[in-house]
């Protein structure tokens, strides 16, 4: 189906690998340069991509996504058996799966983990209101009973972000105190600001079959993976050019020519990768006023922000649709007069309606993602022209993810996301996400969208959701952008992906 093509992410990749191309060479250490310190290693309690990138090597979910963005079994033995009324999911579990402490995974562990997920995770909470019961069926099956049909459930269980990871039943502490999962690598050591060290788990039981996206066989060729925080973007570029690390994540796209010309590294470009987004605090502070949010929306010139962040149009496109044309979800519904407007006078009129009195508009951003910061700088100038008193707060990414959890501390924060296979996975659509968007209009369109199973009907209902997004402005999509990373010429078996993974990878000594 057109909506599910991971190929769109690989179309401009400067390296091309087939599923069977991963190397078999054993041994070696892979150093991965990341944008900074993850705020946690518990992927249930965070929607930060960095957390998912690291933790997916230690923890696993019942399902994952294959190369076509279709849900595929991971810890589950097969896709769920769904009752005719869409309310009952019977999930059979793989047998012989062991946790890193040597114990066997059973239905008791899965049930306990899913209950933790529905209590702690933003996407778990999103599903929790619709779940009647989660219960074991023998040792190797579970049953989820819903109050009403909920089409996104399998995709939610597959996602590695706010993830429904499976933990031992007796190790469900919050905050997480022991990092015991079922993944191909296990936690060994964390030295803040130096590295997170994972080592091969010899008791790992892989899924069968050829690798396909995040699904299929997972080989443990590497002895060790070290995730090294490198917060400065320019430092990451120099490290990529010199070949200091095996993989360098999140490079400024303007470094493409330098990385491509390196004797040590290959450029990895995903096109289009995703969308930068301004999240609005709809629950507290001045941005809780819809007219003020509309003022922000019409004040901004999206194309100027994208140009500042990425330079050439080779690396971005100013498109209002929340999904690009490659997806069945692509639509311009609701965007007319609400995207790429840059109209200071219209914004001033809306501020007057909002009874704005010059209160600071607090914008949280980070230079660890340099494109966030550049967009924030341009946005601040357009907002000042419209009459806003802008307070731009530049912090490290870990601090930003902490502050956004407290609605008293911010009005807008800047983030980004890859294009996700299931729109219900988009974090700010959840009432438990930091923006706390929760209105009758949202509930009406999202409930209708989530209850419908037919893909074509869901596409039409998604247009209704997008109309409400543009009308109520819980967040502002800036545009589409490409993502640049780099891999060492000595690193094999890495398939370009939104959240890079390193099972099936190997290094040439």
């Amino acid at each position: 189906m057109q909506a599910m093509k991971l190929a769109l992410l690989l179309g401009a990749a400067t390296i091309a690998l087939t599923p069977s191309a991963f190397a078999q060479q054993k041994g070696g250490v892979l150093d991965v340069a990341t944008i900074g310190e993850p705020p946690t290693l518990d992927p249930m309690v965070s929607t930060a991509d960095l957390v998912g990138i690291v933790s997916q090597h230690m923890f696993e979910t019942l399902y994952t996504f294959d190369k076509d963005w279709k849900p595929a079994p991971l810890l589950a033995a097969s896709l769920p058996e769904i009752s005719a009324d869409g309310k009952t999911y019977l999930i059979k579990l793989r047998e012989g799966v062991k946790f890193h402490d040597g114990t066997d995974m059973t239905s008791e562990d899965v049930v306990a983990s899913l209950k933790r997920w529905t209590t702690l995770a933003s996407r778990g909470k999103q599903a929790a209101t619709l779940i009647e019961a989660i219960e074991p069926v023998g040792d190797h099956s579970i049953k989820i009973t819903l109050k009403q049909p909920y089409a996104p459930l399998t995709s939610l269980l597959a996602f590695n972000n706010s993830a429904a990871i499976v933990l031992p039943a007796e190790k469900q502490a919050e905050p997480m105190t022991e990092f015991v999962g079922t993944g191909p690598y296990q936690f060994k050591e964390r030295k803040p600001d130096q590295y997170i060290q994972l080592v091969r788990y010899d008791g790992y039981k892989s899924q069968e079959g050829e690798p396909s996206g995040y699904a299929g066989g997972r080989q443990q060729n590497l002895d060790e993976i070290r995730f090294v925080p490198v917060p400065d973007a320019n430092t990451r570029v120099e490290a990529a050019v010199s070949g200091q690390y095996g993989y360098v994540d999140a490079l400024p796209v303007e470094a493409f020519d330098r990385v491509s010309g390196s004797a040590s590294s290959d450029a990895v470009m995903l096109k289009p990768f995703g969308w930068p987004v301004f999240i609005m605090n709809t629950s507290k502070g001045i941005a809780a006023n819809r007219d003020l949010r509309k003022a922000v929306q019409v004040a901004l010139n999206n194309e100027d922000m994208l140009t500042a962040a990425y330079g050439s149009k080779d690396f971005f496109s100013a498109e209002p649709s929340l999904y690009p044309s490659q997806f069945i979800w692509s639509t311009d519904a609701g965007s007319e007069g609400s995207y790429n407007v840059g109209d200071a006078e219209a914004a001033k009129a809306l501020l007057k309606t909002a009874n704005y009195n010059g209160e600071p508009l607090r914008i949280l951003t980070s230079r660890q993602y340099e494109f966030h910061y550049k967009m924030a700088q341009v946005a601040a100038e357009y907002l000042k022209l419209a009459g806003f008193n802008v307070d731009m707060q530049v912090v490290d990414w870990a601090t930003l993810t902490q502050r956004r959890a407290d609605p008293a501390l911010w009005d807008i924060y800047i983030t980004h996301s890859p294009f996700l296979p299931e729109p219900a996975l988009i974090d700010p659509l959840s009432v438990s996400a930091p923006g706390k968007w929760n209105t009758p209009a949202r509930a009406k369109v999202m409930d209708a969208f989530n209850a419908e199973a037919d893909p074509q009907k869901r596409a039409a209902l998604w247009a209704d959701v997008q109309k409400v997004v543009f009308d109520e402005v819980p967040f502002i999509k800036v545009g589409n952008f490409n993502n640049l990373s780099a891999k060492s010429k000595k690193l094999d078996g890495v398939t370009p992906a939104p959240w890079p993974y390193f099972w099936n990878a190997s290094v040439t000594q």
Side-chain angles (χ1 to χ4, degrees), residues 25 52 139 168 219 240-241 304 307 342 352 354 362 370 378 440 477 487:
Q25 183 171 335
D139 288 339
Q219 288 202 357
V241 172
D304 280 359
T307 300
K352 186 175 181 180
R362 298 162 298 173
E370 187 71 9
V378 174
K477 176 196 174 182
K487 62 169 286 294

Side-chain angles (χ1 to χ4, degrees), residues 390-402:
V390 177
D391 176 15
M392 192 162 75
Q393 301 179 8
V394 184
V395 298
D396 63 84
W397 187 248
T399 299
L400 186 150
T401 60
Q402 291 167 357

Side-chain angles (χ1 to χ4, degrees), residues 286-494:
I286 61 173
N289 185 305
R290 174 186 169 275
D291 288 320
L292 186 137
R293 298 196 303 273
K294 292 289 289 184
V296 173
Q297 182 186 59
V298 301
L300 295 177
N301 183 305
N302 299 58
E303 188 160 356
D304 280 359
M305 289 190 288
L306 291 163
T307 300
Y310 307 112
S312 170
K313 288 188 177 180
D314 290 339
F315 303 123
F316 75 86
S317 59
E319 296 181 17
S321 172
L322 298 184
Y323 278 89
S325 58
Q326 295 94 332
F327 286 79
I328 197 174
W329 315 113
S330 181
T331 172
D332 287 337
S335 64
E336 186 175 356
S338 298
Y339 180 81
N340 199 30
V341 181
D343 189 335
E345 296 306 313
K348 287 176 181 177
L350 284 162
L351 284 181
K352 186 175 181 180
T353 303
N355 296 314
Y356 177 65
N357 292 312
E359 300 91 340
L361 179 70
R362 298 162 298 173
I363 302 177
L364 277 177
T365 190
S366 172
R367 297 200 71 164
Q368 284 165 258
Y369 292 108
E370 187 71 9
F371 65 97
H372 291 188
Y373 175 70
K374 290 179 178 178
M375 287 187 294
Q377 287 181 305
V378 174
E381 295 308 310
Y382 274 100
L383 292 168
K384 289 173 185 175
L385 287 174
F388 282 97
N389 174 17
V390 177
D391 176 15
M392 192 162 75
Q393 301 179 8
V394 184
V395 298
D396 63 84
W397 187 248
T399 299
L400 186 150
T401 60
Q402 291 167 357
R403 288 191 186 178
R404 72 184 182 186
D406 185 347
L409 299 180
W410 61 280
D411 302 303
I412 299 173
Y413 78 86
I414 302 174
T415 187
H416 68 274
S417 171
F419 295 113
L420 304 176
E422 163 56 56
L425 297 174
I426 296 173
D427 190 52
L429 294 179
S430 169
V431 297
S432 59
K436 305 293 184 186
W437 182 40
N438 189 9
T439 65
R442 176 217 165 273
K444 180 180 178 180
V445 293
M446 285 301 298
D447 287 352
F449 176 72
N450 289 334
E452 178 57 61
D454 181 87
Q456 297 301 323
K457 292 179 181 178
R458 294 189 83 218
L461 292 169
W462 174 246
D464 295 336
V465 174
Q466 185 170 292
K467 287 177 186 177
V468 176
V469 168
F470 276 108
D471 182 56
E472 296 199 341
V473 204
F475 56 89
I476 297 172
K477 176 196 174 182
V478 184
N480 303 337
F481 78 105
N482 307 339
N483 185 65
L484 177 65
S485 298
K487 62 169 286 294
S488 167
K489 293 182 184 295
K490 295 181 179 181
L491 178 63
D492 296 315
V494 175

Side-chain angles (χ1 to χ4, degrees), residues 54 135 245 299 346:
V54 177
E135 52 196 336
Y245 298 98

